Amino acid sequence: MFDILSIIPGKKKNTQSGWTSFNAICCGFKGHKPDQRMRGGVKFDGENWAYACFNCGFKTGFTLGKSIAPNTRKLLQFCGIEDAQITKWSLESLQHRDLLDYIRVKKQKSRIKFQDHTLPAGELIDVNNKKHDTFSEYLLNRAIDPDSYPFLITPHEKGRNGNRIIIPYTYKNKIVGHTSRFLDNRIPKYINEQQPGYVFNIDSQKPDWQVCIVTEGIFDALSIDGVAVMHNDINNDQAMLLGSLNKPIILVPDRDTTGLALCDKALELGYQISLPNWDTGVKDVNDAVVKYGKLPTLISILQAATSSKIKIELQRKKIAKRI
Ligand SMILES: [Zn+2]
């Protein structure tokens, strides 16, 4: 909408406490001596921000979804912004209210329901069973512990049902879908039975975990203990389900064009985005875990997580060049 820090003129300095300081622009207008000691500050909380002047005491702020407050209008006017432009931003902000309300209401009153689902026949994978070796090896090659999830396999089935790993989808410990990954070269590689709004691995998210890592694919999610949206969009029901976790969400998109497009939706939903500086051959989280290991991958994801549109745009451009 508008970036207050680029509107306020002059030098800026970031402080330890999270404020960005500058020479306040309000004081002269409020009948005080102009500030020359960087006593103005802006502090962000997501899209929202507060302005405070420790010289003349002028205070105001901005909340996405609300109209621009009279003092903020003044502040923008002090910076030379025209009234018509301020009114336009105010209306734009109000337009965000519907989306924000929607997410808030859904969070409070979760009516998330999925139909029960029957799984195809299969047996639980057992790493000590020689007949299961192909399946265990497939998972281990993808850096996934076969014991980390109730994988079902079909070592005795023939034809289309043979040679597959069945990955049950659960919600509150009930089966609500599944995917089959075929280990031979048949197409399609996956057969999915997924209900709209479902987010894979949501049941495995522990309440004491600080963040939730959102990926695109099942194996990405499994290899980092994250969740998967399983296509290159996050629909409203999925956003609601993710919102019910009540914790910061970090999207790690695939490093392809559709993955990078997913960033826009994630930003709109207030998620952080992480595009770590991985090697060119690494196309997704699972590739990274295979190449670097789980912990280094997790650290790189957490370190690169940001909600700064400018940073994300720069990283996105860098990656897009390589695609
Ligand atoms: Zn002031």
Side-chain angles (χ1 to χ4, degrees):
M1 191 170 313
F2 64 96
D3 175 14
I4 188 65
L5 286 180
S6 58
I7 289 172
I8 294 171
K11 248 191 0 197
K12 312 279 174 345
K13 198 176 82 191
N14 290 325
T15 69
Q16 292 270 336
S17 53
W19 288 85
T20 301
S21 304
F22 41 81
N23 281 332
I25 44 178
C26 37
C27 317
F29 296 94
K30 305 301 280 181
H32 289 251
K33 276 192 192 147
D35 173 27
Q36 293 177 335
R37 289 163 50 214
M38 311 275 280
R39 301 200 68 194
V42 164
K43 190 175 187 176
F44 278 89
D45 173 15
E47 296 266 353
N48 307 334
W49 49 261
Y51 174 99
C53 173
F54 301 100
N55 191 41
C56 75
F58 184 78
K59 272 199 187 99
T60 190
F62 171 75
T63 306
L64 188 66
K66 290 191 174 168
S67 55
I68 286 177
N71 265 357
T72 304
R73 183 174 285 271
K74 276 189 202 152
L75 178 72
L76 292 166
Q77 285 165 343
F78 298 159
C79 299
I81 306 289
E82 286 184 9
D83 226 25
Q85 179 62 62
I86 301 171
T87 304
K88 201 175 143 234
W89 286 335
S90 191
L91 290 172
E92 268 180 55
S93 173
L94 277 173
Q95 279 166 5
H96 280 79
R97 187 175 54 188
D98 293 342
L99 178 70
L100 295 170
D101 276 353
Y102 177 82
I103 294 167
R104 203 172 299 127
V105 168
K106 292 283 189 181
K107 244 188 202 174
Q108 284 163 357
K109 207 177 164 191
S110 128
R111 279 176 284 123
I112 302 162
K113 278 219 169 72
F114 297 105
Q115 305 284 326
D116 286 357
H117 175 93
T118 319
L119 285 176
E123 52 191 274
L124 262 179
I125 197 165
D126 174 5
V127 280
N128 298 315
N129 186 335
K130 280 258 167 283
K131 286 187 180 128
H132 293 189
D133 278 358
T134 358
F135 302 95
S136 303
E137 273 163 25
Y138 174 80
L139 292 170
L140 290 169
N141 281 334
R142 296 197 69 165
I144 290 160
D145 175 2
D147 289 329
S148 64
Y149 199 85
F151 298 109
L152 298 177
I153 54 168
T154 56
H156 307 295
E157 301 251 15
K158 296 274 176 286
R160 194 54 175 129
N161 290 335
N163 232 334
R164 64 174 170 166
I165 299 180
I166 299 158
I167 301 154
Y169 295 167
T170 69
Y171 183 64
K172 299 206 191 266
N173 298 316
K174 280 195 331 194
I175 306 289
V176 298
H178 80 276
T179 194
S180 292
R181 171 61 161 98
F182 295 93
L183 300 195
D184 44 28
N185 291 320
R186 285 176 297 185
I187 306 253
K189 279 195 292 195
Y190 289 94
I191 289 183
N192 243 323
E193 297 261 358
Q194 186 195 343
Q195 301 184 49
Y198 182 66
V199 174
F200 174 70
N201 216 24
I202 194 100
D203 271 3
S204 309
Q205 302 304 297
K206 304 279 180 290
D208 59 327
W209 290 357
Q210 297 297 305
V211 295
C212 171
I213 295 176
V214 175
T215 65
E216 288 184 52
I218 286 168
F219 288 103
D220 299 319
L222 287 170
S223 57
I224 205 80
D225 296 321
V227 300
V229 287
M230 296 184 284
H231 40 86
N232 40 49
D233 183 31
I234 302 166
N235 64 41
N236 288 338
D237 289 337
Q238 288 181 314
M240 176 170 95
L241 193 52
L242 289 168
S244 70
L245 294 172
N246 270 320
K247 58 181 75 179
I249 293 170
I250 303 174
L251 169 77
V252 192
D254 285 357
R255 298 155 100 82
D256 54 25
T257 2
T258 45
L260 296 180
L262 187 59
C263 295
D264 294 326
K265 184 64 189 253
L267 281 174
E268 198 181 301
L269 289 163
Y271 302 167
Q272 295 182 62
I273 292 174
S274 180
L275 291 163
N277 196 17
W278 294 332
D279 286 349
T280 319
V282 175
K283 297 295 180 204
D284 55 31
V285 172
N286 188 228
D287 284 355
V289 174
V290 170
K291 181 162 179 144
Y292 308 114
K294 183 173 174 176
L295 190 60
T297 301
L298 185 61
I299 292 170
S300 67
I301 290 172
L302 295 176
Q303 281 177 342
T306 176
S307 41
S308 153
K309 278 183 194 167
I310 300 165
K311 277 189 196 159
I312 294 161
E313 205 42 55
L314 282 174
Q315 288 159 339
R316 209 149 61 150
K317 275 189 189 140
K318 214 161 105 187
I319 292 170
K321 267 192 214 151
R322 304 191 202 149
I323 297 170

